Amino acid sequence: MTDLSQQPWFDDTEWLTVPDLVEMLGLSVSRVHRLFEDHVLISTRVDGVVVTPAVFLVDGEPMHELRGTATVLADNGFTDDEALDWMLSVEDSLGVSPVQALRAGRKAEVRRVAQSLL
């Protein structure tokens, strides 16, 4: 199990709770949980509270590019915590974190790197 609180990016990450997402997205609690199940967003528990990084939202909506990448990682056996760690850590082959690369429009490159992970 990955201890995300020990990662260098952890303290600099803005976390959104399920109630935050309900308010921001205008969805029910069950629909927000469905976003996690469907890999539209990736969540973890911090001090017992389910949270997701705010950087996964763009213009008040889940980042569209995240879903396919999260699915690739899940298909490669990554847990949600491992996927979060990879998405938020600087990836040497990309020169930035995968989420930064996705936000910059580099979806194909990020997915190629994600597919190469075992």
Side-chain angles (χ1 to χ4, degrees), residues 73-87:
L73 294 171
D75 289 350
N76 279 343
F78 277 56
T79 65
D80 285 349
D81 282 357
E82 291 167 336
L84 275 171
D85 185 32
W86 185 75
M87 290 294 300

Side-chain angles (χ1 to χ4, degrees), residues 11-76:
D11 289 332
D12 294 330
T13 301
E14 178 186 350
W15 297 100
L16 299 173
T17 64
V18 171
D20 293 335
L21 292 168
V22 166
E23 183 177 327
M24 290 175 73
L25 302 175
L27 300 173
S28 67
V29 170
S30 61
R31 182 66 184 124
V32 168
H33 284 286
R34 182 67 185 229
L35 295 176
F36 299 138
E37 292 168 14
D38 292 344
H39 303 292
V40 174
L41 291 171
I42 306 170
S43 67
T44 190
R45 285 189 180 270
V46 174
D47 298 327
V49 177
V50 176
V51 294
T52 194
V55 71
F56 288 168
L57 276 68
V58 175
D59 296 328
E61 295 290 325
M63 182 177 19
H64 299 290
E65 300 82 359
L66 180 63
R67 184 178 192 169
T69 304
T71 299
V72 168
L73 294 171
D75 289 350
N76 279 343

Side-chain angles (χ1 to χ4, degrees), residues 72 76 78 86 91 93 110-118:
V72 168
N76 279 343
F78 277 56
W86 185 75
E91 169 61 46
S93 62
V110 170
R111 293 216 182 131
R112 269 195 303 276
V113 173
Q115 288 172 339
S116 72
L117 302 172
L118 292 179

